[in-house]
Amino acid sequence: MRTPARNYGPAKLAGGAVVTPLARRLAGEAGIDLGRLTGSGPHGRIVARDIESARAHGAARSTAPAAGPTADQVMALYRDSPFEEVPLDGMRRTIATRLVQAKQTIPHFYLTADLDIGRLLALRSEANAAAPVDRDGNPALRLSVNDLIIKTWAAALQRIPAANAVWAEDRILRFRHSDIGVAVAIEGGLITPVIRQAETKTVSAISTEMRALAERARTRHLKPHEYQGGASAISNLGMYGVREFAAIINPPQATILAVGAARRQAVEQRMAPLVS
């Protein structure tokens, strides 16, 4: 069902002006920025004749993204609702800026596939079972699914060199090694420490390095060279039960692997026809 609210924006603008459904539709079809109009209807409401007047006066379709509402405009919308202001720190500002940059400057397209990870889980169990233990019987190493995914993604980028690259405005940089950023959630934000030359490292070495990087990330002790750069990245929400999601590319990278949760699923087995 097509409705003006769903396809042509909200009935109330950030500045408080109300727009009629017909005016929203006409403005959307003409590419007119409603925020630049002054309504002539009751109480300043923007009506259809305001859109027609704007078109008659040559209001051009803007190719630049419209500026978002100011902080004062947003607060004005909620002046009658109790709220608490949470100041933005440098990390949150940087994350917000880079996410907007990514969505505005990188043409995202998504490929989704289901994989049978039965053998991968068996390999992980076998490796953990064979790991040496200390005097107290605790294993010296415990591989995670993410460790194996990092190694696998690094190998895949080596097989597809065109994907092991970043955009540099007037050129493409293709890398010899697979430097993989891994998203780590920390208090108040997110950071992606990088496993350098991941294709050359054993899974156990990747596991040890990743644990150390994640710990330093959570305590805010990462050094710039430990989280800057990287040819691609991995974001794994499967451990939180998320089945599928669309990760946002971290510029200037060109790819990111979004990993969802594993699940048991019945699979039809194709049998050979019987011959009598």
Side-chain angles (χ1 to χ4, degrees), residues 79-272:
R79 58 179 174 270
D80 297 328
S81 301
F83 60 81
E84 174 190 359
E85 291 188 43
V86 180
L88 294 182
D89 59 14
M91 175 176 291
R92 283 190 182 272
R93 288 184 184 277
T94 299
I95 291 173
T97 299
R98 291 182 69 80
L99 289 182
V100 171
Q101 177 190 1
K103 278 298 189 179
Q104 288 183 343
T105 64
I106 301 175
H108 285 62
F109 67 93
Y110 307 98
L111 304 176
T112 303
D114 290 326
L115 303 177
D116 182 351
I117 63 168
R119 181 54 191 148
L120 182 143
L121 295 178
L123 177 64
R124 172 178 175 260
S125 296
E126 293 167 4
N128 287 336
V133 297
D134 58 21
R135 294 180 179 179
D136 298 325
N138 299 315
L141 180 69
R142 187 164 187 82
L143 301 182
S144 69
V145 171
N146 216 42
D147 298 329
L148 292 164
I149 290 174
I150 295 169
K151 178 66 175 180
T152 303
W153 190 234
L157 291 176
Q158 289 295 305
R159 292 183 62 182
I160 314 294
N164 192 27
V166 301
W167 181 257
E169 296 303 331
D170 62 344
R171 68 202 67 192
I172 295 173
L173 306 183
R174 288 187 180 176
F175 299 104
R176 181 176 303 171
H177 296 292
S178 299
D179 295 341
I180 309 297
V182 183
V184 175
I186 62 177
E187 183 66 28
L190 185 77
I191 197 166
T192 53
V194 179
I195 301 290
R196 309 284 178 182
Q197 302 184 21
E199 85 283 0
T200 68
K201 298 176 180 177
T202 64
V203 179
S204 59
I206 289 173
S207 179
T208 300
E209 184 176 347
M210 191 64 236
R211 288 177 186 274
L213 288 170
E215 179 59 30
R216 289 202 296 279
R218 296 187 180 101
T219 58
R220 306 288 182 101
H221 287 145
L222 282 179
K223 298 177 181 178
H225 74 270
E226 293 179 313
Y227 60 82
Q228 292 178 347
S232 185
I234 296 173
S235 181
N236 186 351
L237 293 181
M239 62 188 74
Y240 302 108
V242 177
R243 179 176 175 181
E244 181 181 323
F245 67 103
I248 299 176
I249 293 172
N250 185 28
Q253 295 174 2
T255 59
I256 187 169
L257 177 67
V259 183
R263 66 187 186 278
R264 293 184 179 275
Q265 180 174 312
V267 179
E268 179 183 3
Q269 296 291 330
R270 300 182 63 88
M271 301 181 63

